[in-house]
């Protein structure tokens, strides 16, 4: 049972928490404003790395952080660091944040709740006259989504050294435009080596995010204290065969690159379903068939493959079996296979003391909290390599995400923000 809304000011619905006010109306207004920076019309949101819409969103965010009096720094890849100085600046910062980029035709809450909610948590703490010992830094990370370069969490990967400046500079989008060109267009330059953080820069990191799954809503619980984050693996796979005339080449003579890819796709689904782990998921979200003519036998099919599991072992077993299956299908059909690895990361384990702090904060506000895993990946996966890290989940409608009808209510979001504010206060001393 949530605490009743306590409205202490005439103009907005406030949720007072432990003598701190979350201004839910202000936060909702900002979420709606940010959603307008989109390549497509509402309710869908498309905001791809370094696009005009992404740059407009960054400008909006920078202004809102400045209005709160936060110190703003942006690194050469576009990660933003909006800092509330602590009384002892020699201590590692307590970080919070998420992302504002969005895949095509997504919703308006994925990532945004953690960025604007993080800003609201800082404002609420400031307005309560609390003064942290550690710096508290809000980080809108660059490119959490893989849309532009097939590299998810690019900003946080570079911060923890999981992607080198050389590797980053080699990235190119589907139109052949390289990372440097895109970041310069967005107003970023400088030595990418400066992106990597030093040991001790952060003492903790906690990310607020919508669950992107149905568990909390189905269990009628308010908060998820995340204990582990799934291990993502992403690959490009080109299947190469022989093209030809759709009418003239008889079936026994064909080396059809699409039919082979279709058999490979179904084999992947079968392996994921029969992996023995309920957490194994496999997706082929991008398929390109060449030459792309109704009467031309495909000579090439390009697949983009995403395989995940909370258990590294079961994920890697599925990948191993899948490679073997691809080889068997290609040999039988006289096709060739060309792989590109986009990423293959270990899962992240959340810091027990921060998970405890999330549970304590939830109890403080009379919110129901459950420990759970994250099946989506997040920047927290890479921040966990820099500092003790955890995540706070809030429910979202039917678990929908990466689609225009993604939704979390103002109350659900405010619950998450107040638990975040309380957790930041615990971590920042
Ligand atoms: O794909 C993911 O898990 C994240 O939403 N980028
Ligand atoms: Mn996402
Ligand atoms: Mn996200």
């Amino acid at each position: 049972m949530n605490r009743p809304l306590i409205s202490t000011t005439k103009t907005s619905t406030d949720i007072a928490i432990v003598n701190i006010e979350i201004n839910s109306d202000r936060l909702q207004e900002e979420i709606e404003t940010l959603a307008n920076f989109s390549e497509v019309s509402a309710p869908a949101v498309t905001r791809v790395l370094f696009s005009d819409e992404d740059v407009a969103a960054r400008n909006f965010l920078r202004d809102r952080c400045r209005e709160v009096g936060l110190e703003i720094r942006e690194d050469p890849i576009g990660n933003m660091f909006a800092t509330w100085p602590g009384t002892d600046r020699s201590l590692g910062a307590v970080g919070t944040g998420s992302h504002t980029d969005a895949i095509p035709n997504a919703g308006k809450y994925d990532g945004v709740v953690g960025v604007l909610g993080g800003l609201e948590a800082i404002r609420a703490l400031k307005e309560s006259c609390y003064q942290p010992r550690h710096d508290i830094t809000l980080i809108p990370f660059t490119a959490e989504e893989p849309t532009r370069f097939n590299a998810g969490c690019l900003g946080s990967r570079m911060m923890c050294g999981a992607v080198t400046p050389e590797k980053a500079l080699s990235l190119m989008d589907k139109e052949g435009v390289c990372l440097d060109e895109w970041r310069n267009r967005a107003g970023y330059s400088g030595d990418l080596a400066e992106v990597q953080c030093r040991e001790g820069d952060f003492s903790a990191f906690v990310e607020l995010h919508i669950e992107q799954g149905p568990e909390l809503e189905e269990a009628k619980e308010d908060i998820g204290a995340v204990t582990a984050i799934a291990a993502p693996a992403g690959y490009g796979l080109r299947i190469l065969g022989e093209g030809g005339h759709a009418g003239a080449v008889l079936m026994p003579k064909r080396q059809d690159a699409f039919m082979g890819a279709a058999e490979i796709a179904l084999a992947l689904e079968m392996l994921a379903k029969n992996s023995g782990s309920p957490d194994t998921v496999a997706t082929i979200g991008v398929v390109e068939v060449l030459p792309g003519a109704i009467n031309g036998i495909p000579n090439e099919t390009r697949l983009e493959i995403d395989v995940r599991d909370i258990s590294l072992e079961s994920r890697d077993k599925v990948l191993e079996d899948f490679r073997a299956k691809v080889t068997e299908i290609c040999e039988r059909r006289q096709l060739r296979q060309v792989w590109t690895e986009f990423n293959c990361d270990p899962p992240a384990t959340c810091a027990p003391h921060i998970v405890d702090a999330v549970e304590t904060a939830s109890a403080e506000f009379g919110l129901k909290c459950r420990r759970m895993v994250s099946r989506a990946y997040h920047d927290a996966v890479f921040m966990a390599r820099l500092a003790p890290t955890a995540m706070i989940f809030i429910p979202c409608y039917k678990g929908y995400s990466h689609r225009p009808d993604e939704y979390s209510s103002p109350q659900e979001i405010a619950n998450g923000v107040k638990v975040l504010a309380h957790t930041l206060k615990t971590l920042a001393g």
Side-chain angles (χ1 to χ4, degrees):
M1 171 56 176
N2 297 338
R3 279 173 185 242
L5 294 185
I6 305 163
S7 175
T8 53
T9 52
K10 305 277 175 291
T11 52
S12 69
T13 309
D14 291 323
I15 300 160
I17 54 160
V18 208
N19 75 31
I20 300 175
E21 287 185 349
I22 296 288
N23 186 324
S24 187
D25 289 357
R26 169 173 62 187
L27 176 52
Q28 287 301 314
E29 211 176 293
E30 288 170 338
I31 291 173
E32 293 308 321
T33 305
L34 201 65
N36 293 327
F37 301 124
S38 165
E39 290 172 47
V40 293
S41 44
V45 176
T46 298
R47 198 162 45 236
V48 181
L49 173 68
F50 294 149
S51 61
D52 295 343
E53 295 73 18
D54 180 42
V55 172
R58 289 164 179 268
N59 295 338
F60 169 73
L61 210 46
R62 193 181 301 112
D63 292 347
R64 303 304 285 192
C65 291
R66 279 214 178 98
E67 281 169 18
V68 185
L70 302 181
E71 291 173 359
I72 309 281
R73 175 176 73 87
E74 293 178 82
D75 71 15
I77 196 68
N79 292 310
M80 192 184 298
F81 302 85
T83 297
W84 175 12
T87 52
D88 182 350
R89 304 209 70 178
S90 68
L91 299 171
V94 171
T96 188
S98 193
H99 62 98
T100 55
D101 59 334
I103 71 169
N105 293 307
K108 62 178 130 173
Y109 300 95
D110 173 10
V112 168
V113 162
V115 174
L116 291 175
L119 179 61
E120 181 56 29
I122 289 173
R123 280 187 297 227
L125 288 170
K126 268 176 164 267
E127 287 159 7
S128 75
C129 303
Y130 162 68
Q131 173 57 50
R133 283 188 59 233
H134 295 247
D135 285 3
I136 294 180
T137 297
L138 175 67
I139 315 170
F141 294 94
T142 266
E144 191 274 350
E145 298 294 2
T147 314
R148 172 83 61 204
F149 294 115
N150 275 322
C153 297
L154 180 60
S156 51
R157 279 177 198 273
M158 294 188 73
M159 285 171 61
C160 74
V163 165
T164 62
E166 296 70 34
K167 170 72 181 153
L169 288 170
S170 72
L171 294 173
M172 203 169 274
D173 72 4
K174 289 192 169 70
E175 280 69 49
V177 181
C178 66
L179 175 97
D180 234 13
E181 169 66 26
W182 273 111
R183 72 178 177 126
N184 293 159
R185 285 183 198 172
Y188 299 103
S189 59
D191 181 355
L192 288 177
E194 290 165 19
V195 175
Q196 185 160 356
C197 298
R198 293 178 309 269
E199 186 78 28
D201 279 354
F202 292 96
S203 58
F205 178 78
V206 54
E207 178 170 359
L208 172 63
H209 206 284
I210 58 171
E211 180 196 337
Q212 298 178 303
E215 252 179 271
L216 287 174
E217 185 181 63
E218 285 170 359
K220 295 189 177 20
E221 284 169 334
D222 307 299
I223 298 290
V226 176
T227 55
I229 307 169
Y235 296 91
L237 174 56
R238 291 171 61 207
I239 301 299
L240 303 164
E242 279 299 316
H245 192 290
V249 180
L250 299 179
M251 294 311 279
K253 294 243 191 284
R254 292 190 177 199
Q255 294 161 248
D256 185 324
F258 173 72
M259 295 303 182
E263 189 178 349
I264 284 167
L266 291 174
L268 177 63
E269 183 186 44
M270 197 55 72
L271 286 166
K273 283 182 170 176
N274 301 323
S275 76
S277 155
D279 298 314
T280 309
V281 285
T283 312
I284 298 181
V286 178
V287 179
E288 203 181 349
V289 182
L290 303 174
I294 184 171
N295 57 352
I297 300 169
N299 65 329
E300 178 172 352
T301 302
R302 296 176 185 169
L303 305 176
E304 290 185 6
I305 299 161
D306 179 309
V307 179
R308 313 184 192 193
D309 195 305
I310 297 296
S311 146
L312 186 61
E313 194 194 336
S314 59
R315 184 203 64 191
D316 287 353
K317 179 73 173 65
V318 166
L319 286 172
E320 186 191 327
D321 294 349
F322 180 51
R323 284 184 189 281
K325 194 68 188 153
V326 170
T327 300
E328 184 268 313
I329 292 168
C330 285
E331 281 169 0
R332 177 163 35 86
R333 288 174 171 264
Q334 294 175 282
L335 298 171
R336 281 181 299 121
Q337 53 179 311
V338 178
W339 290 79
T340 309
E341 179 178 292
F342 301 141
N343 65 286
C344 186
D345 306 292
T349 305
C350 295
H353 74 282
I354 306 181
V355 178
D356 292 344
V358 171
E359 284 183 320
T360 305
S362 304
E364 178 75 29
F365 300 115
L367 296 172
K368 286 190 190 145
C369 176
R370 75 159 41 195
R371 289 184 175 226
M372 60 194 297
V373 298
S374 170
R375 302 186 190 289
Y377 64 73
H378 302 279
D379 291 302
V381 169
F382 301 98
M383 286 306 286
R385 301 187 194 179
L386 287 171
T389 289
M391 294 189 75
I392 299 166
F393 273 176
I394 59 169
C396 56
Y397 174 64
K398 289 190 179 173
Y400 289 168
S401 182
H402 283 191
R403 41 189 283 182
D405 51 359
E406 179 183 272
Y407 177 75
S408 284
S409 71
Q411 178 66 67
E412 288 167 334
I413 295 171
N415 288 343
V417 174
K418 61 186 184 182
V419 168
L420 175 64
H422 193 288
T423 305
L424 291 175
K425 194 171 176 179
T426 304
L427 296 169

